[in-house]
Amino acid sequence: MAAVPWTLSLMTFLCCGTHAHCLASSYVAAVYEHYVILNPEPRVPLSRREALQHMRQNVQVYEQQAASAAYQGAQIVVFPEDGLQGFNFTRSSITPYLEEVPDPQQESWNPCVHPERHPNTEVQRWLSCMARRHGLYVVANMGSVQPCSSTGSSPGSSDSSSGSPGSSGSVPCPADGRWHFNTNVAYRSDGLLVARYHKQNLYFEDAFDSPPRAELVTFHTPFAGTFGLITCFDILFRQPTVALLEKGVRQLIFPTAWMNQLPLLDTIQFQRALSLGANVTLLAANIRSDELLMSGSGIYSPSSAVYHHAQSGDPEEGRLIVASLSALEPLHDPLPTGLVPQGEQGDTSAGSCPAEGCSAPHTFTSSMMHDPFTFVLLRGAGGQLSVCDGSFCCWLQYQSTHTNHTELYALGAFAGLHTVNGRYSLQVCALVKCAGTEERSCGQEVVQADTKIDFVLKGTFSTRHVYPSVLSSHYTLEQPTRLHTTPRGSVTMEHSSMSGGLVTAALYGRMYHLDPH
Ligand SMILES: *[C@@H]1O[C@H](CO)[C@@H](O)[C@H](O)[C@H]1NC(C)=O
Ligand SMILES: *[C@@H]1O[C@H](CO)[C@@H](O)[C@H](O)[C@H]1NC(C)=O
Ligand SMILES: *[C@@H]1O[C@H](CO)[C@@H](O)[C@H](O)[C@H]1NC(C)=O
């Protein structure tokens, strides 16, 4: 190993204090939120030379950031989805941007050392040399192409790191005889290609195909053990995210180009929620674009969150985040996942009001994230209330510690299939600030809040996959004071002494087993 920069030992010291045990297992990670230099006409086909000239401009920014990350002691740097080419290509106009990425399970290749081995692989050489030059692992996202024959054979047939069959069954080779994949690539600090992952859950990406089978891709590092790779929309689905966790992977790398959607799916909010709910580390790198509502990147462990979220009016620019964190060992005894056994549910105290101080309140339906939530309003400075959507119930005990009477709050419950911009099944309990003073404004997007609330929020879920979050005014994350889960599906989140006004407190349950295929 090269000499360790002084910043590394300083950060390790800050993180770990005097616990010698901690020193051995801590490492420094960096994520870069990138303001992409765009092709202004992504639907117009370019030559390969022009496409490379375009991507070169973005790679030059990556190069500076990799240097800065390495200088700050980072051992790994993560760049966002679509960060090299941008968005809105057609299947044909993306072509000059694509490269064939060989399967690292089949072939050991260092593009920086042996660039001539595969033709038309300039982007891979740039990234590999970046890792080698700065002596750190580099994870980036790019477009890749893989020829296939329409007669039925499929690529990467014996990829040993992709052992688990996907739920998608066998997808035929596209009619033009080529797969176009949205691809994460990872390079070791000497430039060796160590992982290649093809995004499973595409989000309105006309230029790309889903791989024929869902891939579970991991790579090993000497400083932190194993990392798994996912991309953007993947984070909401069993394949590959939960499938990786079920294999014992506890550190996920997450290039993304995520359009923010309050009150439940803001970037940093869901990044934090996944890390907390699954008890894992997440290295999340997003694009920065005001027009596309993209910002929010961070480095999350179950006990820490170092993140950045642009505020309205901030200059539109990139941001490097560097943090020290402890490597998470794989759990030998993974937590129970999946369904809560039938018949064991129904911790009755969660769903219904205790007799005292809790009358049956007026409920109303309002749309939140395009889903019909059933809401009750919070009235007065404190109390307890519950709300149910069918047999799924949420319960809240609360006490305002800083009250602003112009602000309206509501407790909402939703159980069902989300159907807009993706289809996935949910059970959600959420305490939200309403955007206005009317019932129908509850569930709408709001960024600023003044009221601070100590609360206990509880739901009885039929899934074990529940992702908790507390988001306060102007995109500030708060660490819940206490989280508690019972084997019977009851999840309790307590929080007090808020630092800012409450925007959303949510328990976001994913009912993967009810997702349509
Ligand atoms: C891409 O297209 C969408 C609509 O399809 C549009 O809203 C967005 O602004 C476009 N983005 C770019 C970078 O051209
Ligand atoms: C999270 O993982 C750690 C080990 O890294 C374990 O000690 C802890 O009990 C886990 N927390 C929960 C809530 O499962
Ligand atoms: C109360 O909240 C509103 C809306 O969030 C805010 O505009 C106003 O400044 C707050 N009032 C006080 C007295 O802080």
Side-chain angles (χ1 to χ4, degrees):
M1 285 276 287
V4 178
W6 65 270
T7 42
L8 170 57
S9 39
L10 176 64
M11 294 185 75
T12 304
F13 175 76
L14 290 174
C15 163
C16 296
T18 55
H19 302 286
H21 152 77
C22 182
L23 292 175
S25 63
S26 79
Y27 66 103
V28 180
V31 299
Y32 182 61
E33 182 165 302
H34 180 47
Y35 174 69
V36 198
I37 300 163
L38 292 171
N39 169 348
E41 294 186 309
R43 293 184 168 81
V44 177
L46 300 181
S47 65
R48 170 71 175 162
R49 203 178 111 85
E50 291 166 323
L52 284 174
Q53 275 171 359
H54 171 212
M55 289 189 282
R56 182 78 191 155
Q57 296 176 278
N58 286 305
V59 165
Q60 280 165 353
V61 178
Y62 282 19
E63 186 74 37
Q64 293 159 4
Q65 299 303 323
S68 172
Y71 181 75
Q72 294 176 63
Q75 291 147 292
I76 183 168
V77 61
V78 180
F79 294 103
E81 183 187 28
D82 299 328
L84 294 175
Q85 82 278 3
F87 326 95
N88 287 5
F89 293 91
T90 66
R91 188 169 179 83
S92 127
S93 71
I94 193 74
T95 306
Y97 287 86
L98 306 179
E99 298 185 358
E100 285 189 45
V101 179
D103 180 356
Q105 300 296 318
Q106 302 291 316
E107 175 186 343
S108 180
W109 181 42
N110 188 319
C112 191
V113 177
H114 297 292
E116 72 293 341
R117 192 188 295 170
H118 296 286
N120 298 315
T121 51
E122 289 87 344
V123 172
Q124 292 170 82
R125 174 159 51 88
W126 294 337
L127 294 169
S128 162
C129 290
M130 190 184 299
R132 194 174 167 84
R133 187 173 304 120
H134 302 295
L136 80 179
Y137 279 66
V138 169
V139 180
N141 175 272
M142 61 185 285
S144 77
V145 60
Q146 208 161 305
C148 52
S149 92
S150 312
T151 58
S153 76
S154 58
S157 45
S158 64
D159 184 345
S160 66
S161 70
S162 315
S164 172
S167 54
S168 49
S170 182
V171 181
C173 174
D176 57 3
R178 34 196 289 145
W179 300 100
H180 289 184
F181 294 129
N182 175 329
T183 305
N184 293 339
V185 284
Y187 297 93
R188 201 166 70 183
S189 50
D190 65 353
L192 186 79
L193 174 68
V194 291
R196 173 192 82 174
Y197 166 68
H198 300 137
K199 183 182 184 184
Q200 178 66 28
N201 301 281
L202 298 174
Y203 190 83
F204 302 105
E205 297 169 68
D206 294 344
F208 291 119
D209 305 304
S210 291
R213 289 178 312 277
E215 301 176 359
L216 301 184
V217 176
T218 61
F219 65 94
H220 184 82
T221 65
F223 52 87
T226 301
F227 288 93
L229 289 169
I230 61 175
T231 307
C232 202
F233 204 33
D234 283 339
I235 201 171
L236 285 175
F237 296 91
R238 174 180 286 285
Q239 293 288 356
T241 303
V242 174
L244 282 168
L245 303 178
E246 285 173 349
K247 278 180 62 172
V249 174
R250 300 199 59 214
Q251 307 177 119
L252 296 176
I253 292 179
F254 178 56
T256 188
W258 187 280
M259 302 171 93
N260 281 315
Q261 205 183 352
L262 285 167
L264 296 178
L265 289 180
D266 189 71
T267 41
I268 57 167
Q269 177 188 24
F270 199 72
Q271 291 163 15
R272 206 324 150 240
L274 190 283
S275 161
L276 268 184
N279 199 18
V280 299
T281 289
L282 184 72
L283 309 183
N286 198 9
I287 293 290
R288 175 63 202 279
S289 165
D290 285 344
E291 184 196 351
L292 299 175
L293 305 175
M294 290 174 186
S295 175
S297 304
I299 297 174
Y300 308 86
S301 79
S303 60
S304 64
V306 179
Y307 61 94
H308 165 71
H309 196 303
Q311 310 285 331
S312 104
D314 282 355
E316 209 174 6
E317 60 191 15
R319 175 70 68 104
L320 184 69
I321 302 165
V322 182
S324 174
L325 63 173
S326 296
L328 291 186
E329 300 289 335
L331 288 179
H332 289 297
D333 202 5
L335 297 172
T337 57
L339 281 179
V340 173
Q342 287 292 320
E344 290 187 25
Q345 285 172 42
D347 178 348
T348 48
S349 67
S352 55
C353 277
E356 220 173 318
C358 179
S359 55
H362 161 70
T363 65
F364 59 97
T365 302
S366 183
S367 174
M368 175 150 74
M369 315 287 296
H370 306 284
D371 295 321
F373 274 70
T374 304
F375 281 105
V376 292
L377 293 179
L378 276 62
R379 300 209 181 268
Q384 38 185 304
L385 44 109
S386 67
V387 65
C388 300
D389 181 8
S391 60
F392 172 70
C393 295
C394 306
W395 179 87
L396 177 76
Q397 182 183 326
Y398 71 100
Q399 180 65 51
S400 303
T401 59
H402 175 82
T403 305
N404 176 327
H405 290 291
T406 69
E407 294 184 323
L408 186 66
Y409 282 83
L411 173 67
F414 173 73
L417 182 66
H418 174 91
T419 57
V420 177
N421 298 342
R423 295 166 70 80
Y424 41 90
S425 292
L426 299 173
Q427 280 182 339
V428 180
C429 292
L431 167 59
V432 295
K433 181 189 160 180
C434 306
T437 54
E438 293 173 342
E439 287 181 352
R440 64 182 155 79
S441 75
C442 299
Q444 290 175 12
E445 184 160 338
V446 59
V447 171
Q448 195 250 322
D450 194 27
T451 301
K452 296 177 184 175
I453 304 175
D454 288 353
F455 64 85
V456 180
L457 176 64
K458 186 169 174 180
T460 303
F461 294 82
S462 8
T463 172
R464 298 188 198 276
H465 303 281
V466 179
Y467 305 111
S469 63
V470 180
L471 186 68
S472 63
S473 194
H474 296 292
Y475 307 109
T476 305
L477 290 171
E478 304 216 359
Q479 178 87 357
T481 312
R482 197 175 87 95
L483 282 168
H484 183 69
T485 302
T486 72
R488 295 168 64 179
S490 153
V491 179
T492 307
M493 175 166 70
E494 283 183 44
H495 193 53
S496 57
S497 308
M498 296 197 65
S499 62
L502 180 67
V503 171
T504 309
L507 297 170
Y508 192 91
R510 273 291 282 114
M511 309 280 282
Y512 300 111
H513 58 289
L514 295 183
D515 285 356
H517 286 296

